[in-house]
Amino acid sequence: MTALTSGTVPADRGVGPLLRAWRERRRVSQLELALRADSSARHISFVETGRSRPSEEMVLRLAEHLDVPVRERNALLLAAGYAPHYPETPLDDPALGALREGMERLIRGYEPYPALVVDGTYRVLAANRGIAMLLDGVAEHLLAPPLNAMRLTLHPEGLAPRIRNLREWRGHLLDQMERQIALQRSEPLRALYEEVAAYPVPDLPPETAPGGEADGPVPYFALPMRIEHEGRTLSFISSISTFNTPMDVTVAELAIETLLPADPATVKHLHTLLS
């Protein structure tokens, strides 16, 4: 309490070390951050060492210029002695009813192509019939709530044995998670990464085309997920959408993932299957 009253926070705790960690993570110098935030390198140094207590406005301004996730901005404010600025509204709260309805309408409208909504740890919050179609044959214990998209995809009893280019797709997903972990301090996400990265990779036969011949070069415009379904190999390109300038922790961590058919054969099969 004395430290807060005097405006000085011990250097080994408080908001200073947290801000310094975010600045170093973003590879921004004190001078560059000061110029962005209309401050001075001296003041940034004093804040980071605990010699100066930043105002609430300054904490939010620095967090904005360091692109700190909304959840972590609240943590910075608490460390500086202020109340959290961003609410965390449950998705089933009536206040988010319009948002929830809009997302559900969006993924339904994407049918017959697969689409789902996940949170910051890949927990599945909503999914359409295209996703349900892909989950045929997945072990029952993986389908028990709460569903997790990464577990469903990479678990040996999930989609993994049917993904024809599993090693490539697995590498893409793990790289994606590593980038997220580097950008935010999420222990649940790190725990999930360690879990799915440790899954054994099933021994798969060489990938073959529908006619039985080994695949040659394919002119895909992005890495596809090639997955077997009812004796056919379907190809999808993944696209992820998030919300701009979120003002709520829950909304900030939502993502809508859509699987775009990567070839005409996949388009035809899905329209036939779900028509």
Side-chain angles (χ1 to χ4, degrees):
M1 182 66 69
T2 302
L4 288 178
T5 302
S6 64
T8 301
V9 179
D12 61 344
R13 57 189 174 90
V15 69
L18 293 178
L19 283 170
R20 181 174 63 249
W22 280 110
R23 180 180 60 76
E24 292 174 349
R25 187 172 299 179
R26 298 294 189 255
R27 299 182 180 180
V28 175
S29 68
Q30 290 182 342
L31 178 58
E32 184 178 356
L33 179 58
L35 291 173
R36 292 181 186 179
D38 193 25
S39 184
S40 68
R42 183 172 182 268
H43 182 56
I44 299 297
S45 176
F46 277 22
V47 168
E48 291 184 354
T49 58
R51 296 180 63 185
S52 176
R53 180 191 179 199
S55 66
E56 180 179 8
E57 178 186 2
M58 176 58 74
V59 172
L60 291 172
R61 194 188 314 162
L62 294 176
E64 175 72 23
H65 289 289
L66 290 173
D67 195 24
V68 176
V70 171
R71 180 182 297 276
E72 297 303 322
R73 296 185 192 191
N74 280 344
L76 289 173
L77 288 167
L78 286 170
Y82 302 111
H85 182 77
Y86 301 94
E88 184 173 359
T89 309
L91 191 58
D92 59 0
D93 190 287
L96 295 183
L99 174 67
R100 187 172 59 251
E101 181 183 349
M103 291 190 299
E104 292 172 352
R105 185 183 300 115
L106 180 64
I107 63 175
R108 284 199 308 268
Y110 198 68
E111 292 176 355
Y113 309 145
L116 71 164
V117 181
V118 298
D119 65 10
T121 55
Y122 293 94
R123 184 166 59 99
V124 178
L125 305 176
N128 68 4
R129 291 189 301 159
I131 291 292
M133 174 269 298
L134 290 180
L135 296 182
D136 288 346
V138 169
E140 287 295 327
H141 69 91
L142 293 173
L143 297 175
L147 277 70
N148 185 280
M150 285 295 177
R151 290 193 185 98
L152 288 169
T153 303
L154 298 178
H155 196 282
E157 296 180 274
L159 300 179
R162 291 166 38 213
I163 298 177
R164 309 301 296 275
N165 59 336
L166 177 62
R167 293 188 183 278
E168 285 182 297
W169 192 249
R170 177 180 181 273
H172 154 67
L173 293 181
L174 294 180
D175 286 347
Q176 175 179 302
M177 295 181 74
E178 286 177 348
R179 289 193 297 272
Q180 287 179 267
I181 291 170
L183 292 174
Q184 57 191 25
R185 303 183 315 152
S186 173
E187 289 305 319
L189 184 60
R190 181 176 295 279
L192 176 65
Y193 172 85
E194 292 174 353
E195 175 191 333
V196 299
Y199 289 160
V201 179
D203 292 327
L204 301 176
E207 187 177 355
T208 56
E213 300 295 330
D215 281 348
V218 179
Y220 289 120
F221 48 87
L223 177 68
M225 177 182 72
R226 293 174 49 78
I227 185 168
E228 186 275 332
H229 183 264
E230 297 185 351
R232 299 172 181 267
T233 298
L234 307 180
S235 297
F236 296 98
I237 303 296
S238 173
S239 174
I240 298 176
S241 302
T242 57
F243 292 92
N244 289 332
T245 58
M247 301 299 292
D248 186 283
V249 174
T250 299
V251 177
E253 296 178 352
L254 293 177
I256 302 172
E257 181 168 7
T258 52
L259 296 178
L260 176 71
D263 55 47
T266 299
V267 173
K268 181 178 179 180
H269 181 66
L270 290 178
H271 277 278
T272 300
L273 195 65
L274 295 181
S275 61

